[in-house]
Amino acid sequence: MGLNHPHQAQYSGVQQKDDDDDYHPHLPVSSSSRTQANDDHQPSEDEEAQLLSTEDYIEQFELDDNTDTSSPPFVTTKHSRSNSKSRLSPIYRLFTILSGSSHPHRQTLTPFLLPSIQSLPRLTLERLLSHPWQRAALLSIGLLLWLTILSVSLVQSKGTLLYSDGEGEGEVVRHLDCVSTFWGPGNECGVDGERCKPFGNVSFAFRCPADCRQVQVLNPRWVGGQEVVYKPWVIGGGDYGDGSADGGVTAAGTETTETGTETRVYRGDSFICQAAMHAGVISDSKGGCGVVKLVGEYYSFFGGEGGEGISSLAFDSYFPMGFTIHPALTSPGKCPQMEMKTARSLAPTILLTFLVSLLTTSATTLWFTSFIAVFAHVGLISDPPNVSGPSNTILPQLISILFERLLPATFTSAVLFWTCSRSTTLRAIPPSANLEKTVLWLGSLWIGALSNFTLESWIPLSRLSAHDLSHQPGAVVALVAIVAVLGVTIAYQAYSFWLEGRVLPYLALYGVLLAGIAVGAVISVTGLGTLELRIHHYVLALLLLPLTSIQTRPALAYQGLLLGLFINGIARWGFDSVIQTAEALRGDDGLLGSSLVPLVDGQPLVYLSEALVETPELWSIAFKWKGINETIEALVPQIHGRGREEAERLWGLSVMVNDVERHRRFFAEEALEDQVFRWERDSRVVMTPEYFRFAFLGEDGRSLDYSGAGTWFGNGTWSSGPGFY
């Protein structure tokens, strides 16, 4: 039987008919069988040469392992062909299914609605500016105008400003970010807050950005005996009540000013901008300016509902630092409000990208113009990175960070464009579909780039970590919903690739990517040097963007959204590693996961100190601790054998009283079991409870995780409280 069909070299001799559901390969047959086939239109089972199925025909090209190579090639016995067919048929069928449709074809975007209207802007531009250089000049002028408007707005909102109360030449307004505070988390301020002085008699004008209301503490913090997480960090400023009257204080939570008005007082570690919103001095939509004044030690910070819907936390004891927020004077020397928010600053950038998308058919022009303009908007305005403050101007720092991240991001963007969009998604979209392209691709890009407004506000999942999934309300439901949406989206995109016959290359690509993720997961699980796998949202965008390299309407929307998420992630946070240390993931206020905490030896001793004339009612409380070995043995059920390893890295002891470090001593100076901590108070002055927490110091002098809070009440009684050892 001859094998010289002209289509044999291509598709292995299989020639398809137009009907996908009923086709047979055309193979050369004997003259008798050809005649019978022509007459009856049915192949004869008795003929020596028959029409073969695709599988039978393919098997003629396969050599069995035991085939004698001296025999004529491509010839197998009926028995060996039957065995080969039964062995390879499922694999071949799977391969055939994954290879795609029998009629693969490139999908293109055809106009869906009013093509003549959609093409009108482009055709008008071509009539007015017929030469390409004229259109290039128009684009350059548009970019220059946009850059000028952006620069002026940035200088006005983030540059150096002067504030005057009408009496002097004025002072420089300090720029804050949403998490700026006078007092750092934990024991950052050192023993007795030495690193955060002065505590009072200081005031300055400040400016806050917009959109600070949604900021929350993502790691557990303590306010006296209360653990706080996933809430705004504002302490005090609530309803008025009875309290001490010291230094002008007339009621707990308020301070009397020279004009007789009362101002809310906040604890010194509160976020200043959120406190200003709670006090009603600035708005969340615009940010704004105010004046902050430190008032020194303060008692009884009451919580309550305030401006912008922020609920402040209560603290029923004293803290060495409190502050008040005052509105900036309206005249003279008005401190201008922070109106450089989305509503005003977004318009020029949206207009630029909208016109470029509507007037051009060039995928390159649309991609890179939109990428750079949106990246600059996110990095400078809508979601800028945190910078050190307070500062007289934050503009130089923001510009420096922007270019640090823009250059590598642009290179990555060029690779994505070349591989995922240039010849597929944005390829040769006709002018009659420009409006659809603008709405789907560009609109989705803006949704992703502004994800801190459009997505994060209603998805209760701040970080994809075990702690957030188990503690953040609604996080598990949000994750399940996201996975479900991704599953449906990936399935639809896979079907679109199947129609084009491009499934197998992408299966190979994602096999490699999943293998890399698996390696990262293994590293994280095995705990090599406390490394952890972290899939940032910019990484998720990179992983999914190849699935959008097809020209369908859903693919346009998916690609725009993922590119926007990539822009937001890099402009805000930079190229964080996918394999990070636990230290990097924790942040400044995160728990270290230490299993050992100091154990008080028995109950603390409460006694009346020796009477003095000036302090006749001076009470004291004294703590003594168990040794390291006793501590490990007592905590064995909780620490599961990790204590011995941690004990080798313990260098000292730290004690917090009312969230302020009051004692720090190293074991080289005095052994743990020999240390005694005494705390005194005058019961005539301090009638509020005091909260005590203990922690070990590590090799670098940094405190490990503190214990739960024990309480020494105003009447002298002691309570260990939950989580206190």
Side-chain angles (χ1 to χ4, degrees):
M1 179 173 61
L3 297 173
N4 54 4
H5 194 278
H7 295 288
Q8 172 184 315
Q10 186 176 11
Y11 305 116
S12 301
V14 178
Q15 185 178 25
Q16 300 174 346
K17 296 171 68 177
D18 291 340
D19 186 0
D20 292 347
D21 298 328
D22 184 19
Y23 72 91
H24 298 283
H26 295 275
L27 302 178
V29 296
S30 63
S31 59
S32 60
S33 63
R34 183 183 299 112
T35 302
Q36 183 173 351
N38 292 335
D39 293 341
D40 301 334
H41 303 285
Q42 295 290 337
S44 172
E45 296 181 359
D46 297 331
E47 291 299 328
E48 183 174 321
Q50 303 177 23
L51 286 174
L52 302 177
S53 68
T54 304
E55 296 166 354
D56 291 332
Y57 187 67
I58 295 296
E59 287 163 10
Q60 295 186 53
F61 289 83
E62 299 175 349
L63 293 177
D64 191 270
D65 293 339
N66 299 323
T67 303
D68 185 358
T69 55
S70 63
S71 301
F74 311 117
V75 177
T76 61
T77 66
K78 181 177 181 179
H79 177 71
S80 65
R81 183 167 63 249
S82 176
N83 291 341
S84 176
K85 178 178 178 179
S86 62
R87 184 173 65 252
L88 297 179
S89 178
I91 300 177
Y92 174 78
R93 288 175 180 172
L94 178 62
F95 181 83
T96 303
I97 293 173
L98 294 179
S99 296
S101 171
S102 59
H103 287 128
H105 62 281
R106 179 184 292 273
Q107 300 182 76
T108 57
L109 188 67
T110 55
F112 176 73
L113 182 66
L114 301 175
S116 59
I117 300 299
Q118 294 194 56
S119 60
L120 183 61
R122 173 65 184 184
L123 296 178
T124 302
L125 178 67
E126 290 179 346
R127 283 196 298 267
L128 296 177
L129 304 175
S130 57
H131 297 287
W133 69 267
Q134 294 174 324
R135 296 192 288 272
L138 178 63
L139 176 62
S140 301
I141 294 174
L143 289 172
L144 183 61
L145 181 62
W146 165 78
L147 186 60
T148 302
I149 296 174
L150 183 69
S151 301
V152 172
S153 300
L154 284 171
V155 170
Q156 290 179 348
S157 64
K158 300 181 185 295
T160 302
L161 297 171
L162 293 179
Y163 165 77
S164 175
D165 57 6
E167 296 181 357
E169 296 182 357
E171 61 175 304
V172 175
V173 177
R174 302 188 186 183
H175 291 266
L176 307 179
D177 57 38
C178 293
V179 295
S180 293
T181 181
F182 293 106
W183 194 286
N187 61 350
E188 277 190 11
C189 289
V191 178
D192 298 328
E194 286 293 329
R195 291 198 290 267
C196 293
K197 287 185 175 181
F199 299 154
N201 299 320
V202 173
S203 67
F204 61 84
F206 66 89
R207 161 175 276 184
C208 287
D211 309 303
C212 288
R213 181 178 57 84
Q214 62 183 350
V215 174
Q216 300 177 337
V217 288
L218 301 180
N219 295 311
R221 295 190 183 188
W222 285 85
V223 181
Q226 177 187 8
E227 186 180 45
V228 178
V229 67
Y230 305 124
K231 292 183 179 180
W233 191 247
V234 181
I235 306 166
D239 296 334
Y240 307 149
D242 295 330
S244 64
D246 181 32
V249 176
T250 60
T254 64
E255 181 193 43
T256 301
T257 63
E258 294 180 357
T259 59
T261 60
E262 292 181 341
T263 305
R264 300 171 183 267
V265 180
Y266 298 88
R267 206 171 83 162
D269 56 344
S270 301
F271 292 156
I272 300 173
C273 290
Q274 285 192 337
M277 285 190 291
H278 183 273
V281 172
I282 67 173
S283 68
D284 181 58
S285 61
K286 296 180 179 180
C289 298
V291 176
V292 59
K293 296 181 179 180
L294 294 179
V295 298
E297 188 174 70
Y298 202 79
Y299 288 78
S300 295
F301 300 85
F302 281 76
E305 191 79 14
E308 300 292 344
I310 295 178
S311 295
S312 65
L313 304 166
F315 180 57
D316 58 352
S317 192
Y318 59 90
F319 198 78
M321 178 192 291
F323 65 83
T324 59
I325 301 289
H326 307 266
L329 296 181
T330 57
S331 63
K334 176 182 177 181
C335 180
Q337 296 294 303
M338 174 72 78
E339 297 180 354
M340 184 61 187
K341 200 248 175 186
T342 306
R344 177 171 297 185
S345 62
L346 193 58
T349 310
I350 282 188
L351 181 62
L352 172 70
T353 55
F354 175 80
L355 291 177
V356 169
S357 178
L358 204 60
L359 297 176
T360 185
T361 56
S362 169
T364 304
T365 302
L366 173 61
W367 180 283
F368 288 100
T369 302
S370 301
F371 182 86
I372 293 176
V374 175
F375 196 100
H377 177 85
V378 173
L380 295 174
I381 300 169
S382 66
D383 199 9
N386 291 332
V387 296
S388 58
S391 174
N392 295 342
T393 175
I394 58 175
L395 190 55
Q397 299 177 65
L398 289 178
I399 293 176
S400 174
I401 296 173
L402 176 72
F403 279 95
E404 173 189 339
R405 297 171 179 177
L406 177 61
L407 294 181
T410 303
F411 174 79
T412 307
S413 169
V415 174
L416 292 173
F417 172 70
W418 190 268
T419 57
C420 301
S421 191
R422 175 178 175 271
S423 58
T424 52
T425 314
L426 294 178
R427 174 182 177 270
I429 295 179
S432 55
N434 265 7
L435 184 58
E436 294 180 59
K437 173 193 67 178
T438 301
V439 172
L440 294 173
W441 189 86
L442 184 63
S444 298
L445 185 147
W446 274 108
I447 291 175
L450 300 176
S451 60
N452 52 318
F453 305 111
T454 58
L455 300 177
E456 294 177 10
S457 58
W458 59 272
I459 297 179
L461 183 58
S462 302
R463 300 169 300 185
L464 192 59
S465 64
H467 180 273
D468 285 8
L469 289 175
S470 59
H471 291 82
Q472 190 167 5
V476 175
V477 176
L479 179 62
V480 171
I482 291 172
V483 171
V485 171
L486 284 178
V488 173
T489 301
I490 291 173
Y492 180 82
Q493 290 301 101
Y495 173 72
S496 300
F497 279 100
W498 182 84
L499 292 176
E500 292 195 358
R502 293 197 290 147
V503 172
L504 291 177
Y506 283 86
L507 283 178
L509 170 65
Y510 278 95
V512 174
L513 295 178
L514 290 176
I517 294 176
V519 171
V522 170
I523 294 176
S524 178
V525 171
T526 55
L528 298 179
T530 67
L531 294 175
E532 296 184 21
L533 177 67
R534 178 77 183 274
I535 304 298
H536 304 279
H537 61 298
Y538 88 85
V539 176
L540 185 63
L542 291 178
L543 290 174
L544 296 178
L545 270 168
L547 288 177
T548 66
S549 59
I550 193 168
Q551 196 175 98
T552 62
R553 287 178 175 84
L556 280 170
Y558 300 151
Q559 186 173 98
L561 179 66
L562 292 172
L563 183 62
L565 289 175
F566 172 78
I567 291 174
N568 180 272
I570 301 304
R572 177 65 175 87
W573 304 105
F575 285 93
D576 277 352
S577 173
V578 295
I579 301 293
Q580 291 184 289
T581 63
E583 181 81 11
L585 290 175
R586 259 192 316 269
D588 296 333
D589 60 343
L591 297 177
L592 299 173
S594 53
S595 57
L596 293 178
V597 293
L599 296 185
V600 177
D601 190 2
Q603 287 292 313
L605 177 62
V606 179
Y607 59 94
L608 183 63
S609 301
E610 294 182 5
L612 300 176
V613 175
E614 61 273 14
T615 55
E617 297 185 21
L618 187 64
W619 286 85
S620 297
I621 186 169
F623 298 88
K624 186 174 175 60
W625 290 272
K626 295 180 179 180
I628 295 294
N629 293 331
E630 291 183 82
T631 300
I632 295 175
E633 293 175 1
L635 294 177
V636 164
Q638 291 91 350
I639 63 180
H640 305 293
R642 294 179 296 166
R644 292 291 178 187
E645 181 181 350
E646 287 190 14
E648 298 176 356
R649 301 193 297 268
L650 302 181
W651 280 36
L653 173 72
S654 172
V655 178
M656 293 270 260
V657 181
N658 282 357
D659 306 323
V660 178
E661 189 175 31
R662 297 297 187 177
H663 173 82
R664 170 181 285 251
R665 194 165 183 83
F666 291 92
F667 299 151
E669 301 170 335
E670 189 175 15
L672 176 62
E673 57 270 23
D674 296 332
Q675 293 190 30
V676 177
F677 173 68
R678 294 181 179 86
W679 185 253
E680 298 177 337
R681 73 181 182 198
D682 187 346
S683 59
R684 299 174 305 169
V685 177
V686 180
M687 294 174 288
T688 58
E690 293 176 292
Y691 302 94
F692 296 77
R693 294 186 291 130
F694 312 123
F696 286 117
L697 299 175
E699 295 176 334
D700 56 356
R702 180 179 178 181
S703 63
L704 305 183
D705 294 339
Y706 282 90
S707 66
T711 307
W712 188 23
F713 293 100
N715 60 8
T717 59
W718 167 262
S719 174
S720 296
F724 186 92
Y725 298 100

